[in-house]
Amino acid sequence: MRDAFLTRLARSPMVFDGAMGTMLYGRGVFINACFDELNLTRPRLVQEIHEEYAEAGADLIETNTFGANPLRLRGYGLADKAGEINRAAARLAREAAGEDLYVGGSLGPCLQSGQVWHDGLAEEIRQAYAVQVAALAEGGVDVLILETFTHPDEMLAAAAAARATGLPVLASFAVNEAGE
């Protein structure tokens, strides 16, 4: 049985898996496809990638949910499937992780490249993250991972939703050459 995530992290460095999108693209999934939908339409492909990372020595497997919030899924006509997609992704990662490895629920930005944060979007973004984190938590992830955010206010909205689950939260920013 594995220790609690934060206990394990305090003990020594951990190896996380690699880029799911890169692996999917390398297996013929086009870049304009909804990678998150593959948790429902091609679950075996997603699980095989998770299993390969586990076999390669990863301590933590991330869910295939980087863009699986209702706002990003809306562009594919899948906003109403956000909960289902996230629960399925957590289940696939958990099955590959088994009893020994950890599962991280991946959350990326709602805002697309070039979009600007404004207060009019704040509540819609908060609700989108609340849907996603609730489904990931229900699916059994050990930690929530907020990845490559560029807008501090958006990250804070995601972090607030994540914190409400009681799960540990890791966060990262993407910074350009100008330090923005």
Side-chain angles (χ1 to χ4, degrees), residues 25-172:
Y25 182 73
R27 294 185 186 200
V29 179
F30 292 112
I31 195 77
N32 61 343
C34 179
F35 288 177
D36 307 295
E37 183 183 26
L38 297 174
N39 296 311
L40 302 177
T41 61
R42 295 185 64 191
R44 187 66 202 134
L45 173 62
V46 173
Q47 192 166 28
E48 285 172 2
I49 293 169
H50 288 323
E51 289 169 354
E52 289 174 13
Y53 280 127
E55 290 170 16
D59 297 312
L60 183 141
I61 304 296
E62 285 190 56
T63 58
N64 177 37
T65 54
F66 180 81
N69 63 69
L71 296 180
R72 293 289 288 264
L73 291 171
R74 183 187 302 162
Y76 298 99
L78 298 169
D80 62 330
K81 291 191 177 275
E84 181 182 0
I85 288 169
N86 282 279
R87 281 187 298 277
R91 180 183 50 77
L92 292 170
R94 175 57 63 209
E95 288 173 5
E99 290 296 316
D100 298 325
L101 305 181
Y102 296 87
V103 173
S106 173
L107 292 88
C110 288
L111 298 176
Q112 301 285 342
S113 179
Q115 268 187 298
V116 177
W117 169 273
H118 59 84
D119 289 338
L121 291 172
E123 187 54 34
E124 188 175 21
I125 288 173
R126 279 189 206 86
Q127 289 176 7
Y129 285 124
V131 168
Q132 187 175 17
V133 299
L136 288 168
E138 183 182 324
V141 302
D142 300 299
V143 58
L144 294 166
I145 303 172
L146 316 181
E147 299 185 78
T148 64
F149 281 74
T150 57
H151 299 285
D153 290 327
E154 184 180 15
M155 179 181 270
L156 290 172
R163 185 175 177 201
T165 67
L167 292 169
V169 180
L170 302 178
S172 68

